[in-house]
């Protein structure tokens, strides 16, 4: 049985293990935590999640031109009483140090980010690989809680707890979606 699962695409393999793929689990967690606003800059790795939230009328979905705009949109929504999340890839995160350090952190605005971890484990794009090396040091320097989700069985727990912690403590949080989770059994990004 395990050999058959390893040959299937990740979403199908997830069905056998947990009943649903990682992106469907995330949608459920967002709903349980009343995270209604999703701001994203298009990303191939997060595309299954993006398709799910766009197809669900429960969510308000906004596609800004840049990740910095997404931070401003989510911050404004939070001040108006709506919880949000930003979906992006590693290279998009690389543009955020200033807006996080000058808006989110000093104003204690919980900026919840889900970042597809590009530039590692078989990603052959040099730009992604270079930027990936800076992501964790920047998160550490800004003292932003972050966790890399690598296994399907961790998706619900980590996503749920990171969101709860961010909104309870009014602090930013980043969930890094590892290619061990999102890209397993695929040949390329």
């Amino acid at each position: 049985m395990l050999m058959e699962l390893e040959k299937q695409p990740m979403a199908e393999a997830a069905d056998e293990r947990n009943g649903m793929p990682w992106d469907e689990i995330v949608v459920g967690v967002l709903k349980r935590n009343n995270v209604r606003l999703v701001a994203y800059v298009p990303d191939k790795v997060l595309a299954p999640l993006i398709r799910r939230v766009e197809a669900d009328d429960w969510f308000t979905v906004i596609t800004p031109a840049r990740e910095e705009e997404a931070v401003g949109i989510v911050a404004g929504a939070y001040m108006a009483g709506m919880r949000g999340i930003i979906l992006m890839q590693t290279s998009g995160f690389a543009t955020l140090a200033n807006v996080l350090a000058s808006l989110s952190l000093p104003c204690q605005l919980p900026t919840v980010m889900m970042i597809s971890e590009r530039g590692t484990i078989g990603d052959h794009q040099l730009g992604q690989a270079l930027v990936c090396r800076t992501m964790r040091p920047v998160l550490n320097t800004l003292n932003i809680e972050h966790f890399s989700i690598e296994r399907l069985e961790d998706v619900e727990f980590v996503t749920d707890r990171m969101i709860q912690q961010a909104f309870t403590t009014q602090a930013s949080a980043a969930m890094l979606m590892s290619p061990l989770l999102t890209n397993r059994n695929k040949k390329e990004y």
Side-chain angles (χ1 to χ4, degrees):
M1 181 70 168
L2 184 58
M3 293 299 284
E4 290 174 358
L5 289 176
E6 290 174 356
K7 293 178 185 175
Q8 297 174 359
M10 186 62 184
E12 292 176 27
D15 274 346
E16 292 292 355
R17 289 187 208 134
N18 188 329
M20 57 182 104
W22 70 267
D23 50 289
E24 187 174 345
I25 295 168
V26 170
V27 167
V29 171
L30 294 175
K31 287 181 175 183
R32 276 198 318 271
N33 285 283
N34 201 30
V35 178
R36 298 185 72 92
L37 176 65
V38 178
Y40 75 90
V41 175
D43 174 45
K44 185 176 181 181
V45 174
L46 295 176
L49 176 58
I50 291 167
R51 283 191 294 273
R52 282 192 193 278
V53 297
E54 284 185 331
D56 191 327
D57 290 337
W58 194 85
F59 294 101
T60 299
V61 181
I62 298 175
T63 310
R66 298 182 51 87
E67 290 79 0
E68 300 96 305
E69 293 173 10
V71 173
I73 291 165
V74 169
Y78 176 75
M79 289 186 274
M82 178 184 264
R83 291 180 170 191
I85 188 169
I86 304 166
L87 309 179
M88 70 189 89
Q89 62 179 279
T90 304
S91 60
F93 175 79
T95 68
L96 294 183
N98 182 53
V99 70
L100 291 170
S102 63
L103 175 65
S104 297
L105 300 175
C107 296
Q108 294 182 298
L109 301 171
T111 303
V112 178
M113 299 168 278
M114 183 166 282
I115 306 167
S116 66
E117 192 173 17
R118 305 289 300 271
T120 187
I121 309 178
D123 190 336
H124 304 292
Q125 299 178 50
L126 179 59
Q128 292 283 10
L130 293 171
V131 169
C132 183
R133 294 178 199 144
T134 69
M135 183 170 55
R136 283 181 180 82
V138 170
L139 288 164
N140 288 333
T141 299
L142 294 173
N143 201 27
I144 293 176
E145 187 75 26
H146 58 284
F147 191 88
S148 183
I149 304 174
E150 299 176 351
R151 303 176 320 161
L152 181 65
E153 55 267 22
D154 295 333
V155 172
E156 183 172 18
F157 177 80
V158 173
T159 305
D160 184 63
R161 298 301 168 91
M162 293 289 283
I163 291 170
Q164 288 180 28
Q165 181 176 347
F167 287 107
T168 301
T169 63
Q170 294 182 294
S172 296
M175 292 159 280
L176 313 178
M177 306 306 279
S178 169
L180 292 172
L181 172 72
T182 61
N183 203 35
R184 195 175 301 271
N185 298 324
K186 295 180 186 176
K187 299 266 188 230
E188 60 184 68
Y189 278 71

